Amino acid sequence: DTGVSQDPRHKITKRGQNVTFRCDPISEHNRLYWYRQTLGQGPEFLTYFQNEAQLEKSRLLSDRFSAERPKGSFSTLEIQRTEQGDSAMYLCASSIGPGLIDNEQFFGPGTRLTVL
Amino acid sequence: GQQVMQIPQYQHVQEGEDFTTYCNSSTTLSNIQWYKQRPGGHPVFLIQLVKSGEVKKQKRLTFQFGEAKKNSSLHITATQTTDVGTYFCAAREIKTSYDKVIFGPGTSLSVIP
């Protein structure tokens, strides 16, 4: 399978715990995006990387959230001290960039986080 | 900041009827993309529009980009049950200091057989 993969697919955690998600993009894609989606809403932009550089980070992203892409391949998203409001689907997408004309984003299946 | 709006939020149509969803931005866009998300699935890219006034067609789907590059529409002719899902526009705004992709809230389409 050469698509975007995410792990785990589901995560249930207790409030206050830390969680980490992984995303493996399509191998030749140098741009990687993280989104959060809640029921009935569109994907909410969190951050994106071009290769290993984090180029943009949403102001909605609190300091409890951190993302890395150390070697420009896979990425991790960590949420510290989880809160019930963090419960959502966390989507990863990859694309080829940069440039004015951005290619399509390919989405992974997502990690569904439930904070009890 | 930039806002992307979509109307309607929900649309229920009889199979065979047409369907249109509209996307509006508060700022001029570099390009706009459309995605479809089936229930329980993830967004899947449909098309990208770049030029002012651009019109693209994919079988029964017609996509338009406004002359001012602030709005777009997706029209489906003669809907089928396979068209069920949520349709999102994704607006990309590029400035010297940032490059953002903002998804609209989506239009959820139900098709009654």
Side-chain angles (χ1 to χ4, degrees):
Chain A
D1 186 352
T2 57
V4 178
S5 61
Q6 292 187 245
D7 183 69
R9 296 290 304 276
H10 303 273
K11 179 70 176 178
I12 300 174
T13 190
K14 292 183 179 179
R15 187 177 54 186
Q17 298 295 306
N18 300 343
V19 294
T20 300
F21 309 142
R22 175 178 171 127
C23 171
D24 286 89
I26 294 172
S27 59
E28 63 267 26
H29 286 183
N30 56 359
R31 278 199 163 180
L32 186 148
Y33 304 80
W34 284 100
Y35 294 90
R36 176 171 61 191
Q37 187 176 28
T38 54
L39 193 63
Q41 302 296 317
E44 177 187 17
F45 172 81
L46 296 179
T47 189
Y48 85 88
F49 294 83
Q50 185 167 302
N51 299 312
E52 65 277 5
Q54 189 173 16
L55 297 186
E56 182 71 12
K57 186 175 177 180
S58 170
R59 278 174 282 179
L60 299 173
L61 213 61
S62 77
D63 56 6
R64 297 185 296 105
F65 288 71
S66 62
E68 293 183 340
R69 196 184 183 196
K71 297 181 180 179
S73 55
F74 74 92
S75 175
T76 58
L77 176 68
E78 180 183 16
I79 308 174
Q80 295 182 326
R81 305 181 303 280
T82 52
E83 302 172 356
Q84 288 184 325
D86 297 331
S87 296
M89 176 72 82
Y90 289 83
L91 293 165
C92 174
S94 70
S95 72
I96 295 174
L100 178 63
I101 298 176
D102 198 6
N103 287 347
E104 65 184 272
Q105 295 185 37
F106 292 80
F107 280 82
T111 295
R112 181 168 296 284
L113 173 66
T114 302
V115 182
L116 302 176
Chain B
Q2 181 188 35
Q3 291 186 341
V4 179
M5 296 156 285
Q6 275 186 262
I7 55 171
Q9 185 176 3
Y10 302 99
Q11 185 79 59
H12 305 278
V13 299
Q14 202 75 35
E15 187 173 19
E17 292 181 338
D18 292 355
F19 159 77
T20 303
T21 174
Y22 300 90
C23 177
N24 294 287
S25 169
S26 56
T27 57
T28 302
L29 304 169
S30 304
N31 65 51
I32 197 159
Q33 299 175 343
W34 285 90
Y35 291 79
K36 177 184 178 181
Q37 186 172 23
R38 293 181 184 274
H42 56 271
V44 175
F45 176 84
L46 294 177
I47 208 157
Q48 176 173 275
L49 304 171
V50 178
K51 299 178 182 178
S52 169
E54 188 171 14
V55 177
K56 287 188 176 181
K57 292 189 177 183
Q58 288 180 351
K59 297 182 180 178
R60 295 179 295 104
L61 278 61
T62 302
F63 304 84
Q64 289 189 307
F65 202 6
E67 294 290 340
K69 299 185 73 173
K70 286 187 175 183
N71 55 51
S72 181
S73 65
L74 158 59
H75 180 82
I76 303 178
T77 303
T79 54
Q80 301 175 359
T81 54
T82 53
D83 296 325
V84 166
T86 301
Y87 293 84
F88 295 101
C89 62
R92 185 157 178 243
E93 182 181 348
I94 302 175
K95 301 291 185 184
T96 53
S97 59
Y98 64 80
D99 182 343
K100 290 183 179 179
V101 178
I102 307 297
F103 278 76
T107 296
S108 177
L109 172 64
S110 299
V111 179
I112 305 165

